[in-house]
Amino acid sequence: GDGMRLARLALVATIAVLQACAANERRASDSDTGIYAPLLPSDPRGNLAVSALSPPYNTADYETGRRSFLVCASCHSLRAGAAEHVGPNLHGLIGRRVGSGAGFAEGFGYSLALQRAEFVWDAESLDRFLEHPEEVLPGNRMALAPVRDETLRRNLVAYVVVTTSHR
């Protein structure tokens, strides 16, 4: 029906944006203030850190995840102390209760869906959320087309887990 057609269109549009952004990547410079950078600089330790994650994330490609995050960077930052944008700063995300401001995102106006959620972010919950955002957190305000491609999602999740944990 129309719902499936719209879902397919959203997925195709998301993949096209991810591919275009990866092809036209703008790297953050060393002189970047850290307040907002579309991408953190490449980190040669990235794949080593990814290899220490639990399966299946330990087989992800850090650099591909880094480039894929460009779409997310229009709303989210990853650097400690960086300003909030449309979405909260994700630094310190893993191990935090969903919608909490403890240690990050102080004062961010979370939706009621996130404020009422009863779980802690980890790689698996982030993966499920990216695949099925409305099922995992019904009523959330995040403008997110489901990321159905398992490899793309695994790379993105591994990048976010590694980057928000060790910087």
Side-chain angles (χ1 to χ4, degrees):
D2 287 338
M4 281 302 291
R5 195 170 330 133
L6 286 174
R8 285 188 194 123
L9 181 61
L11 176 61
V12 169
T14 300
I15 291 170
V17 168
L18 286 170
Q19 289 174 338
C21 290
N24 297 312
E25 172 184 337
R26 187 183 130 217
R27 294 179 185 260
S29 70
D30 290 338
S31 63
D32 188 273
T33 63
I35 299 303
Y36 177 70
L39 285 176
L40 292 172
S42 184
D43 185 343
R45 299 168 299 170
N47 278 328
L48 180 61
V50 164
S51 69
L53 298 176
S54 62
Y57 310 103
N58 62 334
T59 62
D61 183 273
Y62 176 87
E63 191 62 27
T64 302
R66 186 181 78 85
R67 287 190 307 269
S68 298
F69 187 79
L70 186 60
V71 172
C72 310
S74 62
C75 296
H76 297 285
S77 55
L78 297 172
R79 293 179 189 245
E84 307 298 334
H85 300 298
V86 173
N89 181 337
L90 300 180
H91 186 79
L93 176 72
I94 303 304
R96 303 279 186 214
R97 189 180 65 75
V98 174
S100 76
F104 81 112
E106 297 294 336
F108 185 79
Y110 289 100
S111 66
L112 286 176
L114 272 81
Q115 290 176 31
R116 293 179 177 158
E118 297 284 331
F119 65 91
V120 171
W121 286 117
D122 59 16
E124 292 79 14
S125 61
L126 180 58
D127 194 333
R128 281 190 307 276
F129 176 68
L130 292 173
E131 184 178 18
H132 302 288
E134 276 301 316
E135 288 177 25
V136 173
L137 289 167
N140 78 80
R141 292 188 306 235
M142 188 166 150
L144 170 69
V147 181
R148 301 280 190 229
D149 183 280
E150 184 178 346
T151 302
L152 177 67
R153 213 173 48 251
R154 181 176 50 240
N155 292 336
L156 184 57
V157 168
Y159 172 74
V160 170
V161 169
V162 166
T163 303
T164 62
S165 300
H166 82 278
R167 291 189 188 269

